[in-house]
Amino acid sequence: FSLAGYVKKLDHIRSGLERLGKLEPIDEIDRIARDVMQERLSTQLLLAEAYDPQNNWAVISSPGTSIRQVFEVMKYDTPAQIANITARMNAVDGALKSWISCISDLAKMGKVNTVRQTQTVAKQLTTFSEGAFTGLAKRFDSAGNYPELHAAGIAADKAAGETGQWLINHYLPLATQKDGVGEERYARWVRFYTGA
């Protein structure tokens, strides 16, 4: 979730567009596929260059919810799967810190989210800290056979709480009161959602 990670994504999109521009369609289906791909990638590039996706987080969609949701689709039937879950839970703190670094860097560029979104995401993360990950660990291992998993759940809960507190203590004073998106930003997102 770091800004460096997004820069790599930007490079990947640009590279994909460059390679796509060199392809010659062999039929109408190929032409349509190329055009759709070009539209999707160029729209993603437009948003990414404006840092919109990194700065457009809320309760419904944020790195915090994305990280938490990963665990909902993971299998937990075998020791190897439990080990994978444990490793990912142990990575929650680093993932959240990379997000903090991103929004800190964006704030230095004058790009901040709103007070309302900051407060609600902080509250959500605080709720996560009250047992979201430890609850998952208990669900995945109700017999308590994998103590490392439960320790990872505790660490992930703690990381969520610390991130929520960081949003309140450090980011909230920088956040804007204004909720509107503005004409330029609206146009970028309309293009993204409608393809037009």
Side-chain angles (χ1 to χ4, degrees), residues 59-166:
V59 171
I60 293 172
S61 176
S62 75
T65 55
S66 296
I67 290 165
R68 170 67 177 74
Q69 288 169 350
V70 164
F71 296 98
E72 293 292 342
V73 296
M74 293 184 72
K75 292 186 177 187
Y76 53 95
D77 303 318
T78 68
Q81 290 167 344
I82 293 292
N84 189 26
I85 292 169
T86 302
R88 285 188 180 183
M89 276 199 190
N90 281 323
V92 167
D93 183 52
L96 288 170
K97 282 184 174 147
S98 73
W99 177 48
I100 286 172
S101 77
C102 177
I103 60 178
S104 294
D105 289 343
L106 289 175
K108 290 172 190 167
M109 297 162 57
K111 296 178 181 293
V112 292
N113 206 331
T114 67
V115 165
R116 185 169 59 97
Q117 301 300 355
T118 303
Q119 289 171 329
T120 56
V121 169
K123 184 177 178 183
Q124 181 182 51
L125 287 163
T126 300
T127 300
F128 286 175
S129 77
E130 295 166 356
F133 295 98
T134 51
L136 283 168
K138 287 176 188 168
R139 188 173 90 201
F140 297 155
D141 177 35
S142 58
N145 295 323
Y146 300 96
E148 301 87 5
L149 171 64
H150 298 277
I154 291 168
D157 281 352
K158 182 177 181 228
E162 289 172 350
T163 304
Q165 281 305 302
W166 182 89

Side-chain angles (χ1 to χ4, degrees), residues 16-81:
L17 279 167
E18 184 180 326
R19 288 193 315 264
L20 190 61
K22 295 175 184 175
L23 297 176
E24 280 299 322
I26 59 171
D27 57 24
E28 186 63 4
I29 293 171
D30 257 12
R31 185 197 62 75
I32 291 169
R34 181 203 59 199
D35 290 354
V36 168
M37 240 179 118
Q38 187 163 15
E39 184 279 323
R40 288 289 79 194
L41 289 173
S42 63
T43 300
Q44 286 178 25
L45 185 62
L46 183 71
L47 288 172
E49 286 176 336
Y51 299 104
D52 277 358
Q54 300 89 314
N55 206 30
N56 188 33
W57 40 273
V59 171
I60 293 172
S61 176
S62 75
T65 55
S66 296
I67 290 165
R68 170 67 177 74
Q69 288 169 350
V70 164
F71 296 98
E72 293 292 342
V73 296
M74 293 184 72
K75 292 186 177 187
Y76 53 95
D77 303 318
T78 68
Q81 290 167 344

